[in-house]
Amino acid sequence: MAGSIGLKNIDAWKVRLLLGIKIFITAGLIWYLTNKFSDISFSTFLDFKQELPFFIAVALVPLNFFLQYRKWLMICDHSFSGQNRSDIFKSVLTGISTGLLTPGRLGGYPGRAFPLQGVKLSEVTAGAAIDKLNSLLVILIAGSFSAVIFLHSFYKVDLNLTLSLLFFLTGVYLLLVYLMLTPDFWRDFVGAQIARVKVVEKYFINFHAIGLFNRGVFGKNFAYSLLNYAVFSTQFILLVAAYHGDLSTLGMIMASSLVFFTKSLIPGITFGEIGIRESAAVFFFGHFGVPAGAAFNAALMLYTINVLLPAIPGAIF
């Protein structure tokens, strides 16, 4: 018993230490940005040059969560049948809450299991991982293509090299999409590799048990991921317009995709990824004439309306 209590205390100490480190790094990044750029200040967080784009961005929040809900509902109906619709929606919110404090929001995968009835943690984690992977693939596709064009436009990368990279990325992503839409890939490769470690398959992530090897489910989930990406990208662009007072659509689309792409590549070393997202926004939007303060505030507001506020009811559920 004493040993068990000791292990629990050690685990609690590790969690507190990790949280403390993340908060320290977050504070350091925010301090650096506010000192380097004079127009970055929390006092301007609600200082909009145009209010209409802000209200439209907020109005898109329900659509954003509806698409997340539909993506998850599709997987639940296929693999965890009989679940109540309200429990599935709560599951999305609890995933946001549990992922808030964990690196890369990994806690959001098993966190979705809490409101669901009669499910195993390892199976829900597998379903959530597939749901997240579709969303991540959309971000990687948009971001990597934007990165190649960005480097050519602003850093004079050779045109032949740029075209070669674009063709190469097209081939890679077509192959990835094909694999993701192939049931044998998940069953015979991903599932089989995880199954080699029995403890992981039993307690953490089990692709075999959920039976999610259906091309139709994958395809529809990927389509919803595309729509979801379009919605939160639009929100970001509208928020930048609200703070900046100007809207250059093509440049904003490229900059927003690069921010999401950069954030997805960097491990979650800060609290809620605050600081990483804002730093990327300041850098990329700055190339399109957006002041640092406007880019910073837009990135922080996007996090507030899409993650931080929804995490509150998720913690209650």
Side-chain angles (χ1 to χ4, degrees):
M1 179 67 70
S4 175
I5 295 175
L7 289 175
K8 290 181 179 179
N9 289 335
I10 291 174
D11 289 340
W13 178 81
K14 287 181 178 178
V15 171
R16 288 194 293 268
L17 177 63
L18 177 62
L19 180 59
I21 293 174
K22 288 163 72 78
I23 292 175
F24 177 78
I25 296 175
T26 302
L29 279 173
I30 297 299
W31 178 85
Y32 170 77
L33 289 172
T34 54
N35 280 271
K36 184 174 178 61
F37 302 97
S38 59
D39 60 334
I40 293 182
S41 172
F42 288 106
S43 63
T44 63
F45 188 55
L46 296 178
D47 185 13
F48 304 107
K49 291 190 175 180
Q50 294 187 40
E51 294 185 351
L52 181 59
F54 168 72
F55 288 122
I56 296 175
V58 173
L60 287 174
V61 171
L63 178 59
N64 180 17
F65 281 97
F66 172 76
L67 291 171
Q68 292 184 49
Y69 163 75
R70 288 294 303 177
K71 277 159 49 67
W72 185 231
L73 173 65
M74 194 178 305
I75 291 178
C76 289
D77 282 348
H78 185 80
S79 300
F80 320 117
S81 58
Q83 299 295 327
N84 186 282
R85 294 294 187 264
S86 62
D87 288 340
I88 294 175
F89 182 74
K90 292 176 184 177
S91 176
V92 175
L93 294 178
T94 56
I96 295 173
S97 298
T98 53
L100 192 61
L101 301 178
T102 53
R105 299 186 188 175
L106 293 177
Y109 301 165
R112 290 189 177 190
F114 295 122
L116 302 181
Q117 306 296 320
V119 297
K120 292 183 178 180
L121 186 65
S122 61
E123 298 172 5
V124 175
T125 302
I130 292 174
D131 187 28
K132 178 69 173 180
L133 190 59
N134 270 328
S135 298
L136 181 61
L137 181 58
V138 175
I139 291 174
L140 292 178
I141 291 173
S144 57
F145 279 108
S146 295
V148 172
I149 298 172
F150 178 82
L151 290 173
H152 172 70
S153 301
F154 290 96
Y155 295 94
K156 307 306 178 185
V157 173
D158 181 70
L159 178 60
N160 291 327
L161 177 58
T162 299
L163 292 175
S164 298
L165 287 173
L166 291 175
F167 280 117
F168 173 74
L169 289 173
T170 300
V172 169
Y173 288 128
L174 286 175
L175 176 61
L176 280 176
V177 171
Y178 171 77
L179 289 175
M180 290 182 66
L181 295 176
T182 302
D184 291 343
F185 171 71
W186 295 98
R187 179 175 56 245
D188 300 333
F189 180 71
V190 178
Q193 296 302 317
I194 293 176
R196 291 183 177 183
V197 186
K198 297 300 182 183
V199 174
V200 173
E201 184 179 57
K202 182 177 181 180
Y203 295 105
F204 296 102
I205 185 166
N206 189 340
F207 285 106
H208 282 117
I210 62 175
L212 192 58
F213 307 117
N214 183 289
R215 184 175 286 108
V217 174
F218 277 117
K220 291 177 182 178
N221 187 276
F222 183 74
Y224 275 117
S225 296
L226 286 170
L227 291 174
N228 190 214
Y229 178 84
V231 170
F232 62 72
S233 294
T234 300
Q235 287 180 292
F236 199 4
I237 293 169
L238 287 169
L239 289 172
V240 172
Y243 286 106
H244 179 39
D246 190 18
L247 185 62
S248 175
T249 308
L250 290 178
M252 299 301 181
I253 292 175
M254 181 183 294
S256 64
S257 64
L258 287 168
V259 172
F260 296 130
F261 178 66
T262 303
K263 185 178 72 69
S264 68
L265 295 180
I266 298 177
I269 57 175
T270 63
F271 178 81
E273 298 166 346
I274 296 175
I276 295 175
R277 174 181 45 253
E278 288 70 23
S279 298
V282 169
F283 177 78
F284 290 116
F285 279 101
H287 281 77
F288 297 95
V290 177
F296 179 91
N297 285 336
L300 188 59
M301 180 61 75
L302 183 71
Y303 171 76
T304 301
I305 63 176
N306 279 351
V307 178
L308 192 59
L309 293 180
I312 297 174
I316 297 174
F317 294 139

